[in-house]
Each structure stands twice: as C-alpha cells, then as structure tokens.
C-alpha cells in the first residue's frame, strides 16, 4: 500500500488504464494515508467528502465518458490560504478560523477542472508569515524525515510546510503552496520534494489570501519534476480576475527525456556562499556543479552584489504590505468579531488583538510605522530602490556581457533544523536565515525550482535551487529534470545506508531499481504487483457478486409483480361478492316487483282517470289558470307530481327487471 | 490704547505687529478670501470601478456588492475600462494634460464603511493634470452683470467611493450599506483661484453642465452624485496663503455659495476678535445655515499612502487612434467630446445676438436651451423674444408651481405653436402665461389653440369691434375725455386701462390705442 502512494502522475494514469487502480480506490488510499500520518499535522482539514466526490467524477470520465483530463484521479493538497468554495479557509489564524469562502481561487478552480481530487487543506504559518510552519493555531507541522514519535523532531520548513509534508508522506501526489520569500521552495527542500516558484504573474493569485501582493506566487510541491510540470501546465496562464497576470497565452512546458546540457551556461553566484552555510550543503552544491560540467554544461562564477541586503529590504516591504493587507480584518464583514460593543474602534481593537498572533501584530505595527508620511521616503521608497537594484543584478547576470542561462544555488543553508532549536529564535531571525537563498528570486519575480539532491549525514534531504530569467520555465524545468535524473542513482545509493533494515525482497528490488535508474515497470515490483493482483481479484469477485446481486434484484422484482397481480384478482373477486349481496338486499326485491308494479299501475290508472275527468271539466269551463281557485291549482300540481312519480316508478320497475335478467344470465353463465 | 500699543511694538518686532494688526478692524477689510474646491463626481457607469457589481443609486441595501467590494480576502481589483474612458473624457473637456502613465495608491484609514481599511485612489500619478475651467459668474440679484472667471485644475484622479454608515442612536448600533462602496469617482482638485461663494457656486454649476453634456456623471447633487469640498482661508492681498479650513461634502449649488459665504464671515469675525484660525474640517449645516467643526476629524490623519500592488500602471495612447484591450487611445476619446457649455454661450451671443446674461441663463437650463434651439432653428422667430418668453414667462410659471425645469412636460410642438401665436399677436403676454400654466396640467400634446378657444381667451383684432369698445369707454367717461381734450394727455392711459378692464384683456392693445387716440382727436 505504501508504494502506491509514491506513484507519479504518469504511473497512476497507467494503473487507471490497466484497471489495476481506480480513482476512487486511490483517493481512499490517500485519505487513509492522510489519517495514518495525522501526527505530522500536515492537514488543517482533510476533505474526505470532497475528495470522494472528485474521485467519482474522475472515475466517470475515465471509464464511462472516456474523456480523460490531465489530472484525473490525481490527489492534491491546497495550502489553507487559498480560498475554496464551501470549505473553510483559515490561514491558520484565529481571525479566519470559521471563514468559509463563497468562491474558488483560480488555481484551485483550474486544478479541479483538470480532474484533480482535493484531499485536504494543508497547514501553514499564520497568514504564511514564517519559514517553519510552527506558528499555526493548529500547531506545528512535523517533518516526516527522521520522525519517530520522539519529543523533538525536525521542522517541515515553511510557510507551506503542510503541503510539503502532505506530498512527502504520500497523502497526495502534489500540493499547492504559496511562495513569497521562499515559502514553497524552503519546505520542499527540507522535506525532500520538488518545489517550483513560477515567474511572478504566470499563475493567477486570485483567491490567494495575500501576504505581499507584489511577491506572492502560487507554488507547486511534487515528488518529481514531471509531476510539478504537469501541475504547472494546468494552473498557469492569464486570468482576467488578476490584473497582474502575464497577458500572453501560456505555452505548456514539455519535458524532454534526455535534455542536452552542452553549452548551457550555468552561473554560481558567489554571494550565496554565505556565512552559516552548512559544509554538507556546500559539498552537495559543488557535487552537482561537477555533475553538470560532466554533462558539458559551462559553469562560471557570477556576482549578485546586492544579495545581502535582500532580507532587510524584504522585511520592510513585507511589513508594509502586511500592514495594508491586514487592514480589512476588522470583524465587520467576515472573520472573528468579539463581543466588544462599546464603540466601533474598540471592536476593531479587540477583534484584531484576539484574531492575530504576535508575529502578525508586530509586522502590522512595523509596517504602519514605515508607511507614515514622514518615514515613507526613509524606508519604503529606499527599500523599493534596493529592490530595483536586486532585480537589476539578476537582469545583468542573465542579459549582460558575461551572461548565463541559469543560476545554481543551495535552497537552504542546512538540512531541516530541530523544532527546539528553531523556535528558540525570533521569527524575524528564523526567516532571515531560512530565506537567504530563496528570497531574492521573489524580489525580482523570476522563476526558481528547488530539487532534492541527496541525504545529509543525519539522513535528511539536501536540496539545490535553480533560478532563471523571467518566463524561462521551459529551460529551468528541463535542466532540473536532468539534474534529478543524474542524481537519482546517488540518492538510491544513499538509501542503501539503511537498506539492511529493509526486508530481503525489498533490498533486491531496490538494487535492481538502482541499476535500471528507476526505469522499472510496475510488474517488477513484487509487493506492488501482489497487492495489485489482489485488488484485481477482489474487483473480479466484486463483479461476480454484483451480477448475482443484480439477478437477485430482478427476482424480487418479479415476485412483487406476481403478488401485485394476485392482490388485484382478489380485489375483483371481492367486488363481485359485494355486488351480489347488495343485489339481494335491494327493495323492492325482484321477487315481489310484479305485484308492486301492478299496484302502482292501478294507482296510476285511477289517477289518470280522475285527471281526465278533471281536465274535461276544466276544458268545458275553459277558465284561465290564474283564475282557478287555489284548491284546484294545488290539485293540479299534485297531479303533475304523481305523473312524475309514475314515470319514475315505471323506470325503476324496468331497471329491476333488467337486473334480474342480468343476474339470471350471470348465474347461467357461471354454471 | 490698543493703537498706541501697536505703534510702540512696531519699532520692536514686525512679526508681532502682523499678528496684532490682524486684530484691528481697519485692516480686516483688506483681507482677501481665498477659496479652492475639491469636487467628487460619481461616474455614470453600469458597474463599479474595480468590480462587476452594479453601480446604481437607490438600490436595495447591500444588494449591489461584489466579493471585492466587501474586501473578502483573496479578491483582487480589476480596473473598469469605461471609468477610465469617462475620466479621460472629462479631463480632456477641461483641457487637462492626460498622463501617459498613471498609477493607483492605497489611502489607509479605519472606518466602518471602508471594508478594506483603505481606499484605492491616485495620489502620486493622477489620471490627468493641469486643466482649467472657464465660467461666467452671474447670480441675478447679486451681480448686475456677468463676469468671466477661471480656475486652474491641479489634477483629476480616479478613486473608489466608500459605503454609507447609518447610526441608530436608540439601538446604539451602526449599520453599513456597501452599495456605494467601490463606486467610481473622479476627484477634481482645483487651485485656490476663487474669492467667494458665488464664484464657487458658478464653477460647480459649470462643472455640472459639462459632466452632464459628457454623460460622465448625472450631476445630481441631491443624490450625492457630485459632492463639493471647499477650502477657505483669508489673507492680506499679495501675501501667501494662510491657514485654511475645509468644508466637507456640500450637497447643493446654493449650499456651496452659502457655506463659503458663512465660513468667510466666520473667519473674518474670528480674526476681528483676536481669534486664530485652525486647520480643521467642518461640515455645512444646511438647515441652520452654519458650518460646524466635525468632531471625529480633529486629529490630523496620516493616510500611510502606499502604491496599490494589485494594479499595474494605467497606460494610455496619447498619439494615435489605436486601441487595445488594455491601452485606450486618447485622441479617439477626444473625438467624442460634444459641444461644451462655453461654446453654446458663445454661439448664442454671436449667432443669435443674445445678451450674455440671457445666454448664461439659457445654457444653465438645458431644457430651456433645447426649447430655444428648436424654436429658432428656422430663423423665423425673434431669438431675443423667444429667450425672454422662456426665461421670464415659462420659468415664472414653473417656479410658481415649484416644478423643476427638467420635469417640464410642455412639448416642442406646443411651445412652438404658443410662441407663434404670441409673436403674431394673436394673444397677449398675459394670456400666454395662462396658457403655459394650463399646458402643465393638460393631457399630452394638447394644442394651445384648443385651450384658448375653449377658455375664450382669443384676442380681438377686429377694428370694428375695437372701435365699438372704444366708443363705449369714451361715452361712459366724459370727465376723463374732457380732461384729455383740455390737454391732460396722461389720462389717455387711464382710458386704455378702463378699456382693457372692460374687455378682460382680450383686445389687441396696440390697435386699440391707435383707434382710441384717433377717436379722441376727432
């Protein structure tokens, strides 16, 4: 089961086509995994029902409509600062704990439109302000690497730590984070997954609750470059709802199997070799540079002289935009509202102090200070100017005389720090250290990708970062893919360190896989194959059972039909009896009807006679009706009614005779 | 005593004297009042400035609100192209220089009807700058003759309107209606080029006429579609501007004149009694006719302006007539400017030889101007007489009934027929007014002639009949006739008066006068 959750998108789709897996079963596995690893606290909210619904939709498309979408049945996690319709979006803050958006972020909408299945909303630092995923109202997220339930553990990095752990623990194939100063690449590096920060404006920010509008980019976390590229192809492109997206139509990125690196110029910026950088990280950097040189790439040292001011500049710009962006949380339209009702101002104050943690509040405070009219030029404008210089550094390196195509740097200064060590530092220092290598790319808006390379001595992932000029994702990801492939062998050999603890069979498979550079088929992986065979059998059995059930169902249906017919017949019989009884009890009884008629006829005859007499009398008198005495008039009307009665009786007598005849006929027929 | 004190100090320190001199009545008359306006005009568009929500007045509470207008997290502004078009159109009509690149800023302050905690406006690089508005100042009863005035426009900027707060003091609750939140506004900032309330009112009137002609704004001040802030200060002639006060949100043209007049007087008397003007925001109390200090605006706010990061700079094409999805062509917009009030006035004066004040009054009332142009377009009717009819008679009738000129129901056909009858002397002025009054009540497009016939108002021009009436008057008033014949010519008018009275104004008096004279001289 474990292995299933390490599939790539391509492999999952192949398994779906071969019916070794179905989207619903795979989503179930992922949900299970998410629950099993709940200790890691990667998810703020596991969206079981949503995932299942998405899976059913995918399954329909896969097997019934046969219109397969690129991400059908691909499980994803979304950082909890992207709005999702009818699903709480908390930003890990008390302020938005109960905030249920009524709309979807463009990124999420595009993923779902491409067939992806949402496993859950992932944890983050409150409003993405941090680089450890330690400042969340839902508690810190733990790195799955080196986690064994002990009291101290490694941080996941941040602020998209939840997304990174969700991917690395196997709860989903890919996840969306946001990257403002390295928030996607940093946790990706510490958790050993791929982290992509696209060019600013390539992916819509609509629905992403902002940290720094001018630097925020939705980021991608995935297990490999291919998957990350697939996701990027689905979410990138212009969006009318975000005026800062690049208007040009997006050309999907294609990854080539054997990308030619010859004559590719790769720069090693000397300023990134900074104080406090771990020896192992530097080793890894050097090692990959050598590997690339072996692939005939041209490596050269370049200079980005303003790198060191980047953190300070970032700090000012970040706090200013935070102060501004957070102004909307006043408890009136949405979000936390306290019961303070002394005045509107008091309500603001108490809602905001209860709704935000210390980090958020202190950034708002500092930001408002920097934005005061008297400080604007002194801090904000100067920071903007320095930001321009940093961007110019990159511009010069990518377009100047001694230009390079890409830059290779470490992502983080070390492997994942221990939680205890990390939280002993102030949030500002945490970020300053963690974001040193990643943050300049956000200043310039350029794309960057963090690629896991190998394991450190403490068995933790070490990653490197590639940066390229604006809109260079095609080149960037192809080179990243090449680095991924060439270093895979080494990663697997590093895995061999602990191979003794694995079962014999696994050791053999791993060796085999290492030899074939992971180009193995599913069938060759025994445990996987077995489980797949099992599931195949199960599904066959299920099919048979289903057929039987269907027959049984038909049977019951027929039975009910028979019963219904029988009931109907009984009803008819009852009715017949009833009518027979009622006939017998009728008056006048058919037996004495003749006498009755005779009497009536006599009566009528006598009446008719007297009537005739009377008429004759009257006709002789020929007096107009109105002159007739009242008694006579009354008699006349009595006569009329008697006439009518006679007719009625005659009718009735006929009826009775008819009924009797009918009964006789009926009886005869019955006999 | 005071004066002696002043002269003594004169030798010591001129600075002190300046202050002291302000206190004396003698110098106060030398104080010049300086007025500058800021006008907010709501743009007449279907949707709001940055969202697709409906932009309308008087909708159901909180019913025209998009997610963005309520500042729901994660939503972003998308600039409404139509608003930029109308903004540029207005800017061009006011001879502004449209900026090739303008940008948006956030202006921060906390208020319940401002959901985002900031307003998106254009503080640093506005849509347009350096314009001018030329207008005529003429308030009948205040000015004898109109005079030209102009005010420079510092800048025109696009910005969002706020929502509306309602305070229920009984329930101790504040209620917020966000229908107006995010509605498009242009703010026009004028230089302090004006001297009094009448000039300010005339400027606002001219501005209303212009934006109405452009279709950029309804100009309905009573609906808050156009709101005026006035900055008022006093200074000695030739000296730099001194401390000003700002009167916020004046909601009518007469209000502008009255509020500024009051504020100038208030400042003048304050200085007279040794007070000091403080920089404050005041509001106009239209009922009690006074300006009052606004309590919550005493503290000077720091708006912590910051560039709006979610909107790229707004670029326009200043040179060619090419347009794209994101870049508007200014020359194309310029082509769409209609005839402006200033041109209309000039045309009326030059083409129809109207007096300037008549031209001003006609242009001020678009409905009357329309009547006028329709009545004079065949060159058959005397323009001055037509204008007088509209401005004196029609307006009097409407005012008497308190009917707004815009709601006048009289059709072109009716007014044309009536004017012809008057000009051809088939009826006299008095009857004309009566007919106008009737027309306001009558059914659609009733012919004025029908009314006259029905009411028996037609005028007598038949000479024989007039002579008959004259003879009657002469016979019945031998005393007056005698006086006249003795040389007292003045009584002639009295005789005519009697004639008019006898015939209930129905005889043509010009013929009657001639006949009467003729008969008396016999």
């Amino acid at each position: 089961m474990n292995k299933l959750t390490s599939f790539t998108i391509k492999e999952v789709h192949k398994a779906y086509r071969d019916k070794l897996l179905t989207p619903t079963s795979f989503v179930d596995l992922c949900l299970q995994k998410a629950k099993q690893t709940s200790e890691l606290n990667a998810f703020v909210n596991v969206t079981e029902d949503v995932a299942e619904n998405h899976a059913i939709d995918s399954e329909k498309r896969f097997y019934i409509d046969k219109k397969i979408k690129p991400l059908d049945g691909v499980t994803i996690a979304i950082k909890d600062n992207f709005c999702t319709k009818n699903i709480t979006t908390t930003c890990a803050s008390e302020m938005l704990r109960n905030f249920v958006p009524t709309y979807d972020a463009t990124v999420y909408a595009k993923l779902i439109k491409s067939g992806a299945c949402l496993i859950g909303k992932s944890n983050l630092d409150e409003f993405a302000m941090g680089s450890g995923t330690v400042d969340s109202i839902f508690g810190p997220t733990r790195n799955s690497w080196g986690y064994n339930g002990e009291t101290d553990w490694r941080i996941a990095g941040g602020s998209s730590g939840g997304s990174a752990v969700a991917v690395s623990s196997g709860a989903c194939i890919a996840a969306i984070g946001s990257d403002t100063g390295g928030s996607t690449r940093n946790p990706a590096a510490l958790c050993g997954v791929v982290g992509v920060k696209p060019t600013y404006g390539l992916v819509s920010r609509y629905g992403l609750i902002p940290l720094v509008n001018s630097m925020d980019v939705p980021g991608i976390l995935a297990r490999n470059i291919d998957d990350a590229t697939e996701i990027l192809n689905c979410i990138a492109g212009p969006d009318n709802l975000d005026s800062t997206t690049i208007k040009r139509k997006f050309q999907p990125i294609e990854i080539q199997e054997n990308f030619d690196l010859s004559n590719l110029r790769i720069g090693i910026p000397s300023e990134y070799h900074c104080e406090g950088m771990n020896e192992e990280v530097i080793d890894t950097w050097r090692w990959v540079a050598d590997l690339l040189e072996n692939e005939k790439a041209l490596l050269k040292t370049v200079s980005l002289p303003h790198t060191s001011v980047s953190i300070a500049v970032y700090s000012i710009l970040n706090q200013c935009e935070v102060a501004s962006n957070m102004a909307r949380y006043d408890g009136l339209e949405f979000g936390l509202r306290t019961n303070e009702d002394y005045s509107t101002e008091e309500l603001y104050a108490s809602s905001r102090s209860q709704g935000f943690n210390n980090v958020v509040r202190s950034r708002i405070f500092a930001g408002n200070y920097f934005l005061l009219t008297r400080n604007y030029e002194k801090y904000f404008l100067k920071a903007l100017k320095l930001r321009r210089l940093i961007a110019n550094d990159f511009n010069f390196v990518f377009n100047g005389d001694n230009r390079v195509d890409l830059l290779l740097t470490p992502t983080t200064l070390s492997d994942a720090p221990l939680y205890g060590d990390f939280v002993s530092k102030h949030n500002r220092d945490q970020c300053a250290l963690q974001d040193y290598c990643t943050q300049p790319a956000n200043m310039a808006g350029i794309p960057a990708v963090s690629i896991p390379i190998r394991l450190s001595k403490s068995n933790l992932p070490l990653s490197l970062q590639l940066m390229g000029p604006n809109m260079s994702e095609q080149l960037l990801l192809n080179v990243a893919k090449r680095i991924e492939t060439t270093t895979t062998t080494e990663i697997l050999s590093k895995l061999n360190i602990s191979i003794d603890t694995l079962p014999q069979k696994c050791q053999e498979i791993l060796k085999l896989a290492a030899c074939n550079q992971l180009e193995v088929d599913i069938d060759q992986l025994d445990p996987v194959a077995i489980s797949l065979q099992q599931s195949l059998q199960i599904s066959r059995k299920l099919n048979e059972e289903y057929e039987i059930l269907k027959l049984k169902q038909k049977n019951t249906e027929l039975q009910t039909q028979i019963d219904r017919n029988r009931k109907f017949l009984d009803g008819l019989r009852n009715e017949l009896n009833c009518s027979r009884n009622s006939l017998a009890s009728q008056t006048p009884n058919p037996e004495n009807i003749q006498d009755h008629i005779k009497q009536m006829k006599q009566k009528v005859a006598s009446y008719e006679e007297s009537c005739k007499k009377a008429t004759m009398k009257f006709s002789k008198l020929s007096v107009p009706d109105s002159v007739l005495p009242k008694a006579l008039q009354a008699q006349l009307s009595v006569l009329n009614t008697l006439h009518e009665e006679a007719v009625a009786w005659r009718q009735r007598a006929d009826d009775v005779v008819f009924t009797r005849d009918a009964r006789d006929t009926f009886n005869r027929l019955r006999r | 005593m005071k004066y002696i004190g002043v002269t003594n100090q004169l030798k010591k320190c001129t600075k002190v004297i300046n202050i002291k001199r302000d206190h004396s009545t003698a110098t106060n008359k030398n104080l010049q009042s300086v007025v500058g306006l800021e006008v907010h005009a709501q743009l007449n568009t279907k949707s709001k400035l940055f969202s697709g929500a409906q932009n309308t007045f008087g909708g159901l509470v909180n019913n025209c609100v998009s997610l963005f207008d309520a500042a729901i997290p994660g939503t972003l502004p998308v600039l409404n192209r139509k608003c930029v078009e109308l903004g540029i159109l207005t800017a061009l009509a006011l001879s502004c220089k449209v900026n090739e690149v303008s940008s948006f800023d956030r202006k921060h302050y906390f208020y319940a009807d401002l959901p985002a905690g900031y307003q998106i406006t254009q503080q640093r690089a506005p849509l347009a700058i350096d314009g001018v508005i030329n207008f005529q100042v003429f308030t009948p009863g205040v000015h004898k003759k109109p005079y030209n005035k102009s005010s420079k426009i510092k800048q025109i900027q696009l910005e969002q309107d706020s929502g509306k707060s309602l305070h229920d003091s009984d329930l101790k609750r504040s209620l917020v209606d966000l229908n107006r939140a995010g509605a498009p506004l242009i703010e026009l900032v004028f230089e302090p080029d004006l001297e009094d309330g009448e000039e300010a009112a005339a400027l606002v009137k001219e501005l209303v006429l212009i934006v109405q002609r452009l279709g950029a704004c309804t100009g309905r001040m009573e609906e808050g579609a156009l709101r005026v802030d006035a900055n008022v200060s006093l200074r000695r002639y030739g000296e730099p501007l001194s401390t000003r006060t700002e009167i916020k949100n004046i909601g009518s043209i007469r209000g502008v004149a009255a509020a500024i007049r009051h504020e100038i007087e208030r400042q003048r008397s304050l200085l007279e009694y040794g007070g000091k003007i403080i920089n404050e925001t005041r509001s106009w109390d239209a009922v009690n006719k006074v300006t009052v200090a606004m309590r919550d605006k005493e503290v000077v706010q720091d708006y912590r302006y910051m560039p709006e990061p979610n909107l790229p700079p707004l670029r326009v094409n200043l040179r060619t007539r090419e347009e794209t999805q994101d870049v508007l062509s200014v020359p194309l917009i310029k082509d769409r400017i209609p005839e402006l009030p200033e041109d209309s006035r000039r045309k009326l004066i030059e083409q129809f030889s109207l007096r300037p004040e008549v031209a001003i009054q006609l242009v001020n009332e678009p409905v009357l101007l329309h009547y006028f142009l329709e009545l004079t377009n065949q060159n058959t009717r005397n323009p001055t007489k037509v204008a007088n009819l509209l401005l004196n008679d029609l307006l009097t009738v409407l005012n008497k009934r308190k009917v707004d000129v815009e709601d006048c129901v009289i059709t072109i056909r009716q007014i044309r027929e009536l004017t012809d009858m008057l000009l051809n002397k088939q009826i006299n002025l008095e009857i004309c007014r009566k007919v106008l009054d009737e027309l306001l009540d009558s059914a659609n497009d009733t012919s004025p002639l029908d009314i006259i016939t029905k009411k028996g108002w037609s005028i007598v021009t038949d000479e024989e009949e007039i002579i008959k009436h004259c003879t009657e008057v002469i016979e019945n008033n031998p005393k007056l006739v005698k006086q006249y014949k003795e040389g007292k010519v003045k009584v002639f008018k009295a005789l005519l008066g009697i004639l008019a009275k006898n015939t209930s104004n129905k005889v043509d008096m010009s013929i009657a006068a001639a006949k009467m004279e003729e008969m008396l001289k016999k």
Side-chain angles (χ1 to χ4, degrees), chain A residues 394-667:
Chain A
F394 282 107
N395 239 335
F396 182 73
V397 162
F398 290 131
N399 301 309
D401 298 336
N402 199 19
R403 69 190 191 89
V404 295
D405 299 310
L406 296 173
L407 294 168
L408 180 72
T409 72
T411 314
T412 50
L413 304 193
S414 69
D415 55 7
L418 281 166
Y419 175 74
D421 292 344
F422 187 76
V423 292
S424 65
K425 294 193 192 93
H426 187 271
N427 173 279
R428 192 181 49 233
D429 302 323
Q430 291 166 5
C431 296
L433 207 65
Q434 289 289 329
D435 294 346
Y436 185 86
C437 297
T438 47
Q439 200 278 312
N442 295 84
M443 287 283 178
I446 58 171
V449 54
S450 170
I451 317 149
I453 304 295
R454 61 182 183 188
L455 294 180
S456 69
K457 286 193 196 97
S458 357
N459 278 341
L460 296 171
L462 291 170
S463 303
L464 291 184
Q465 173 181 238
L466 270 182
M467 292 186 274
N470 279 332
M471 302 299 285
S472 66
E473 275 85 354
Q474 172 80 32
L475 177 71
L476 190 76
L477 291 171
N478 267 301
V479 175
K481 166 79 180 177
R482 194 83 202 114
I483 294 174
E484 186 185 68
T485 334
T486 45
T487 54
T488 304
T489 334
E490 185 66 16
I491 293 172
L492 286 166
S493 72
K494 284 283 178 192
L495 274 174
N496 275 339
I497 299 169
S498 56
I499 209 159
D500 299 341
T501 58
L502 291 173
Q504 190 59 37
K505 215 161 201 175
C506 289
Q507 289 182 32
E508 283 166 26
I509 291 160
L510 277 170
K511 271 177 195 158
L512 194 69
C515 294
N516 296 339
Q517 295 201 353
L518 253 191
E519 288 169 9
V520 286
D521 258 355
I522 296 153
D523 308 77
Q524 283 171 272
L525 290 170
D526 273 20
V528 178
I530 287 163
S531 75
L532 289 176
Q533 287 301 327
Q534 277 172 349
S535 60
L536 194 66
Q537 272 173 6
I538 290 169
S539 73
R540 272 193 199 132
K541 214 169 166 188
L542 277 173
N543 248 340
E544 276 169 25
E545 270 172 27
Y546 178 65
E547 287 301 320
I548 292 167
L549 270 175
K550 258 205 303 213
L551 283 174
K552 270 187 186 166
Q553 173 86 9
K554 232 175 207 170
N555 235 358
T556 22
E557 269 171 21
L558 278 173
Q559 191 58 46
T560 36
Q561 232 164 29
I562 291 165
D563 286 352
R564 208 180 297 145
N565 280 339
R566 194 173 293 154
K567 240 181 220 169
F568 185 68
L569 281 175
D570 286 350
L572 278 178
R573 230 166 264 148
N574 276 339
E575 226 168 282
L576 191 64
N577 283 335
C578 284
S579 59
R580 209 178 290 156
N581 288 340
S582 73
L583 272 176
S585 61
Q586 233 173 35
T587 45
N589 201 298
E591 313 301 328
N592 56 22
I593 190 77
Q594 284 303 345
D595 297 343
H596 198 81
I597 291 169
K598 248 177 223 165
Q599 275 174 26
M600 292 314 292
K601 268 186 182 162
Q602 278 173 2
K603 236 185 195 172
V604 169
S606 69
Y607 278 133
E608 262 171 347
E609 213 173 307
S610 54
C611 171
K612 257 177 208 159
K613 277 179 194 163
T615 331
M616 272 175 37
K617 263 185 198 166
F618 279 123
S619 64
K620 273 179 195 158
L621 281 168
S622 72
V623 189
D625 286 2
S626 53
V627 202
L628 288 178
K630 269 199 182 142
L632 267 176
Q633 271 183 26
Q635 234 172 8
L636 264 180
S637 62
V638 169
L639 192 69
N640 278 333
T641 40
L642 280 172
H643 265 300
E644 276 162 26
E645 211 174 283
V647 173
W649 277 113
R650 218 174 275 154
Q651 181 80 37
R652 201 153 161 201
D654 288 345
D655 283 353
V656 172
V657 172
F658 179 74
T659 340
R660 201 172 47 183
D661 289 346
R663 198 185 49 163
D664 291 339
T665 327
F666 188 75
N667 283 340

Side-chain angles (χ1 to χ4, degrees), chain A residues 83 102-103 205 207-208 213 240-244 247 321 324-325 327-329 333-334 348 368 371-373 376 380, chain B residues 67 70-78 106 108 110-112 115-116 118 124 302 304-307 309-310 312 326:
Chain A
C83 287
T102 56
Y103 75 105
R205 289 185 293 119
L208 162 61
N213 300 286
N240 284 337
L241 298 171
D242 177 0
S243 309
T244 60
K247 300 284 187 298
E321 284 204 31
S324 173
N325 287 334
R328 69 187 57 211
Y329 299 100
E333 284 82 10
F334 50 83
Y348 290 162
N368 277 325
L371 284 179
L372 287 175
T373 311
Y376 183 79
F380 189 75
Chain B
L67 292 175
I72 299 298
T75 54
L76 297 169
V78 179
R106 290 180 177 181
H108 297 89
F110 277 107
Y111 208 72
Y118 55 81
R124 293 186 173 84
D302 191 320
R304 291 163 283 129
Y305 283 100
M306 187 191 94
N310 293 322
D326 299 307

Side-chain angles (χ1 to χ4, degrees), chain A residues 10-22:
Chain A
K10 245 182 222 162
E11 285 165 348
V12 166
H13 270 204
K14 187 172 183 299
Y16 287 163
R17 276 195 302 275
D18 298 345
K19 302 206 176 147
L20 296 171
L21 265 182
T22 66

Side-chain angles (χ1 to χ4, degrees), chain A residues 302-332:
Chain A
V302 294
S303 173
L304 296 163
H306 296 93
T307 304
S308 59
V309 300
S310 187
I311 288 293
V313 171
Y314 175 72
S315 168
I316 291 171
L317 296 180
N318 177 303
Q319 286 165 351
C320 289
E321 284 204 31
V322 163
S324 173
N325 287 334
M326 295 292 147
R328 69 187 57 211
Y329 299 100
D330 54 12
L332 296 191

